[in-house]
Amino acid sequence: MTQSGEPVIAVADLFKCYGDVKAVDGVSFQVGRGEVFGMLGPNGAGKTTTIEILEGLREPDSGTATVFGMDISKHAPSIKQRIGVQLQSVSLYPRLTVTELLDLFGSFYNHHLPTKQLIDAVDLGERARARSMELSGGQQQRLSIALALVNDPELIFLDEPTTGLDPQARRSLWDLVKGLQAKGKSIMLTTHYMEEAAELCDRVAIMDHGHILEMGTVAELIGRRFKERAIFFDTSLKLPAEQLGKLDGVTRAAVEDGQTVLYSSEVAGTIGALLALADSLSVEPHNLGIRQATLEDVFLDLTGRALRD
Amino acid sequence: MKTLVGLTVANLKSLTRDRAALFWTLFFPIMFVLLFGVLFSGSGGSKVTVGFVDQDGTTTSSGIRDALAADRSPLTLQIGSLEAEKAAMQNGDVSAVIVIPKGLEAAVAQTRTGHPASVAIQLYTDPSQTQTTQVVQVAVSSAADNFSLAVISGPGQSAVLTVTQLTLASTNVSTVTYLVPSILAMALMQLGVFAAVPLVQQREKGILKRIGATPLARWKLVASNILLRLIVAAVDTVLIIGVGIAAFNIQIVGNLALAAGFVFLGAGAFLAIGFMLASFLKTEEQATGVVQVVQMPMMFLSGIFFPFAFMPDFLRSVARLLPLTYLGDGLRQSMVNAPQVAPMAVDAAILAGWLVVCLAISARSFRWE
């Protein structure tokens, strides 16, 4: 999506400690109007703390955070009228129904959308009279999004919206987010699913240990690090690692999840050399394949660990 | 205002749809009223102690005394001066006072010589103590009738001994009447202390945090919780007193405005205690356990189920530390004129003290997540 006008979120030099732990350690970024901005990182990276500062739920130790050009620590009530918030794994009043919860949360705002419209938007029509405790995980998550939309917000925060959902429920949530994006809403989300960030986000910030390591569009992030493509096959001890690194066109060799990955700027030459090497040692590389580098590769390259650790 | 009402209604729905919470807040105290009512209302077989004042001081008057104190009489007599016995009645030591006036023997003598004369026994009773009063009235008037019949010679002659009814407020309270305000105090205590559990639960589940992300002012969240509990307190009060009146015919004779004041002050004080507990408890399981540890001893050590006067000294000093003692005392005094543990102003002041201190601690220590 295109960015226009002044950013809806502007964060500069944000710090937040919990005791000795620096949860957010000097974070700066901006989110443009109509943009879907994702924070990608493992658990404990500082994503949630950052987003909760922007939601007005936490005070930063230092740094500035503005939403709609207003300082969040000074104008929280008027900012809260205009943002929608979905928190990580929150259950709601368990004995209230979907309709009752939406009516209740609507009453907290100066302006709110009709409950019927919200229920239809998240496709909960058949469960409108069900108590929130009776909903499935995916339905609860959709209700939680409906509650975030109750005031027809300009900016929506989604903290790990699909964690713990089955693939089908995740897909349906992605469609929901894309629909919001199409309506011109600005969205900031956190996730530790690389494919989710790639699917939904215009721009991504990769975060770990309270720092933003890299920021940009998914294509930029990959292109910036990997001019190469990845050649992968099942790791076999018989192929000596030092020789693999010296094959034609290989810039780097790595072992990830039981697979050997060769990053190559010249795929045909590398594969030829690889097969020749294997042949000379009388072994055959299994499950050989080629792919573009992904966000996962970027993340591994940046942090040396997998996203879901 | 609309928000506050909406939030209170939402809390009320949450409460009424929670069967366990409903049981503890509404049915448990009523069960207690019924249980104790049945247990104690059966104790009507014992004798009623009344004061006996003999101003005549003759053999005739001592004859009446012996008749009233006979084995099959429902009365036990405590003999003393008019002042002493009236004071005893006001303190609740005797249920009524019977006064045999001077001139009884003289009147009998006159009647026997053909000049009918009459004297009246003065009977002081407390109309609020329906059952006892009835027993005493029947016993005294039948004694007077028997006496008259023995003296007069035939029908048509007026009775030589009659009974004049006088009223005197007593503080002698029947067991059930004592128990009903006590159980109400217990219910209000539980209502307030148990409020810690849903609060901790809402914090643990992140409901408080989620609401914190909306523009709703926090004071409204607190106010709706207080409003909810006060509504339930009012419902509890009506139910408990209603069951007491309907099932056991208890008499509410005190100052209703004062009683209502104690209901709300007590509910407020214990709610503040509940808020304070919620400030320090982290998980729902913890809260359920600690709430029981707080409310159980209070229930049994605060003179709720047996009068303060019957407690051994060391228990009395424990009871004097517990806020429930003062709520029970205030409610009993204002509703049924029961004997006091402390003056009502002291009861109110102590409850107000708990309210202010616990609320201040909660305001400082309560965590929203």
Side-chain angles (χ1 to χ4, degrees):
Chain A
M1 286 289 125
T2 50
Q3 290 177 237
S4 62
E6 71 169 12
V8 288
I9 299 175
V11 172
D13 292 321
L14 209 59
F15 285 89
K16 176 76 183 179
C17 291
Y18 298 120
D20 293 339
V21 182
K22 290 177 182 168
V24 176
D25 191 5
V27 162
S28 305
F29 64 92
Q30 297 196 338
V31 178
R33 191 166 290 276
E35 191 179 22
V36 179
F37 180 80
M39 282 202 137
L40 186 62
N43 293 331
K47 309 185 299 283
T48 296
T49 304
T50 306
I51 211 168
E52 286 184 355
I53 289 171
L54 290 167
E55 289 162 352
L57 291 170
R58 291 175 195 284
E59 290 280 330
D61 294 339
S62 67
T64 58
T66 64
V67 175
F68 309 125
M70 293 181 282
D71 190 330
I72 183 75
S73 52
K74 295 194 186 95
H75 300 101
S78 43
I79 291 172
K80 284 175 180 175
Q81 289 285 355
R82 294 165 64 188
I83 62 171
V85 169
Q86 187 236 11
L87 297 179
Q88 202 179 103
S89 62
V90 167
S91 58
L92 293 148
Y93 292 98
R95 291 184 175 79
L96 295 190
T97 68
V98 170
T99 307
E100 287 167 346
L101 279 167
L102 287 165
D103 286 342
L104 176 66
F105 273 70
S107 75
F108 298 162
Y109 294 90
N110 294 342
H111 303 288
H112 61 92
L113 294 174
T115 296
K116 175 86 175 54
Q117 184 185 333
L118 291 162
I119 289 174
D120 291 342
V122 297
D123 199 18
L124 277 176
E126 286 176 13
R127 310 297 329 247
R129 289 155 168 278
R131 296 181 184 181
S132 76
M133 65 200 280
E134 299 160 353
L135 299 178
S136 73
Q139 288 169 341
Q140 284 195 0
Q141 211 69 335
R142 294 217 297 276
L143 170 59
S144 159
I145 301 239
L147 288 168
L149 301 178
V150 89
N151 55 333
D152 196 18
E154 298 158 56
L155 169 62
I156 301 158
F157 293 97
L158 305 172
D159 197 0
E160 299 197 359
T162 65
T163 298
L165 296 190
D166 61 54
Q168 207 183 343
R170 175 172 303 159
R171 283 272 158 205
S172 99
L173 235 124
W174 286 357
D175 291 340
L176 203 62
V177 173
K178 285 178 189 166
L180 294 172
Q181 183 182 20
K183 283 188 192 143
K185 308 283 185 195
S186 312
I187 298 171
M188 174 170 173
L189 63 85
T190 71
T191 180
H192 51 199
Y193 299 114
M194 165 221 76
E195 64 273 31
E196 185 162 292
E199 179 87 21
L200 298 176
C201 299
D202 299 315
R203 277 192 316 134
V204 173
I206 293 179
M207 206 170 171
D208 197 18
H209 299 302
H211 299 282
I212 288 180
L213 303 173
E214 197 87 38
M215 191 158 49
T217 66
V218 173
E220 274 169 12
L221 291 183
I222 295 168
R224 209 178 287 165
R225 296 226 153 230
F226 299 101
K227 307 269 180 265
E228 320 87 333
R229 283 192 284 175
I231 297 158
F232 58 92
F233 50 91
D234 288 353
T235 298
S236 152
L237 292 174
K238 297 196 176 107
L239 289 171
E242 66 273 19
Q243 288 194 35
L244 288 175
K246 288 175 190 152
L247 295 175
D248 287 352
V250 171
T251 54
R252 196 170 64 90
V255 176
E256 300 161 4
D257 290 336
Q259 282 198 322
T260 301
V261 183
L262 304 177
Y263 296 95
S264 168
S265 50
E266 209 258 295
V267 173
T270 306
I271 288 190
L274 172 67
L275 292 175
L277 175 68
D279 207 32
S280 72
L281 295 167
S282 305
V283 294
E284 196 182 329
H286 291 287
N287 296 324
L288 180 66
I290 307 162
R291 59 171 165 79
Q292 282 287 355
T294 63
L295 268 181
E296 186 94 40
D297 298 312
V298 175
F299 192 81
L300 275 164
D301 193 41
L302 283 167
T303 67
R305 56 178 168 143
L307 265 174
R308 278 169 234 184
D309 277 0
Chain B
M1 194 60 208
K2 220 179 88 190
T3 335
L4 198 57
V5 172
L7 204 53
T8 309
V9 169
N11 278 323
L12 207 55
K13 281 179 181 164
S14 287
L15 178 75
T16 51
R17 289 172 190 177
D18 182 348
R19 295 222 176 98
L22 213 55
F23 172 81
W24 286 105
T25 46
L26 295 179
F27 297 110
F28 184 69
I30 289 172
M31 244 171 55
F32 258 81
V33 173
L34 291 174
L35 187 70
F36 281 89
V38 169
L39 278 179
F40 289 109
S41 55
S43 63
S46 63
K47 291 196 170 196
V48 180
T49 307
V50 298
F52 186 84
V53 182
D54 186 355
Q55 295 179 332
D56 195 39
T58 58
T59 43
T60 314
S61 59
S62 47
I64 294 177
R65 182 192 68 203
D66 295 341
L68 285 171
D71 281 348
R72 51 185 186 76
S73 156
L75 307 180
T76 307
L77 301 188
Q78 176 183 308
I79 295 157
S81 71
L82 181 59
E83 288 71 36
E85 292 314 307
K86 277 169 88 171
M89 183 171 167
Q90 278 159 333
N91 287 337
D93 296 335
V94 300
S95 305
V97 179
I98 300 166
V99 184
I100 309 294
K102 198 166 175 52
L104 173 67
E105 197 169 65
V108 171
Q110 270 187 298
T111 307
R112 286 205 168 119
T113 57
H115 301 89
S118 164
V119 292
I121 294 179
Q122 291 149 32
L123 176 60
Y124 291 91
T125 55
D126 181 348
S128 73
Q129 307 297 319
T130 358
Q131 259 179 313
T132 354
T133 297
Q134 230 170 357
V135 169
V136 176
Q137 280 171 349
V138 170
V140 174
S141 29
S142 71
D145 289 348
N146 289 339
F147 182 83
S148 296
L149 282 172
V151 174
I152 58 182
S153 44
Q157 261 192 293
S158 59
V160 71
L161 189 57
T162 58
V163 180
T164 306
Q165 301 281 350
L166 295 163
T167 62
L168 183 64
S170 86
T171 48
N172 190 11
V173 170
S174 78
T175 313
V176 180
T177 310
Y178 177 91
L179 272 170
V180 168
S182 297
I183 289 171
L184 176 58
M186 177 198 80
L188 295 173
M189 178 273 286
Q190 287 175 336
L191 181 69
V193 173
F194 281 140
V197 177
L199 269 178
V200 171
Q201 188 186 43
Q202 286 175 13
R203 176 173 52 209
E204 205 184 2
K205 284 179 184 290
I207 295 173
L208 295 182
K209 183 171 164 184
R210 178 63 185 86
I211 290 178
T214 72
L216 181 77
R218 275 182 178 167
W219 71 264
K220 287 189 183 172
L221 199 59
V222 177
S224 88
N225 258 296
I226 295 174
L227 207 57
L228 166 77
R229 296 284 153 177
L230 293 186
I231 290 171
V232 180
V235 172
D236 257 352
T237 306
V238 169
L239 278 177
I240 290 170
I241 295 178
V243 169
I245 291 174
F248 305 107
N249 196 27
I250 65 155
Q251 305 290 317
I252 304 297
V253 291
N255 181 336
L256 284 184
L258 209 55
F262 269 108
V263 165
F264 288 115
L265 181 60
F270 285 102
L271 191 54
I273 293 175
F275 283 167
M276 185 182 70
L277 292 175
S279 304
F280 297 108
L281 298 171
K282 296 211 165 50
T283 65
E284 195 186 336
E285 286 75 23
Q286 238 180 22
T288 348
V290 169
V291 156
Q292 290 297 347
V293 167
V294 169
Q295 71 106 5
M296 278 294 187
M298 219 168 356
M299 208 162 104
F300 292 110
L301 299 177
S302 297
I304 290 298
F305 299 121
F306 43 93
F308 202 71
F310 297 172
M311 289 185 179
D313 278 348
F314 77 95
L315 271 186
R316 239 185 271 192
S317 31
V318 173
R320 282 196 191 280
L321 299 174
L322 301 173
L324 184 56
T325 303
Y326 301 98
L327 177 56
D329 189 44
L331 284 174
R332 284 190 298 267
Q333 284 188 65
S334 56
M335 285 169 65
V336 298
N337 288 334
Q340 65 178 34
V341 175
M344 279 199 266
V346 173
D347 291 330
I350 289 173
L351 290 171
W354 277 88
L355 175 75
V356 170
V357 170
C358 293
L359 221 48
I361 294 174
S362 312
R364 285 181 65 93
S365 318
F366 193 82
R367 296 282 167 265
W368 295 85
E369 56 172 293

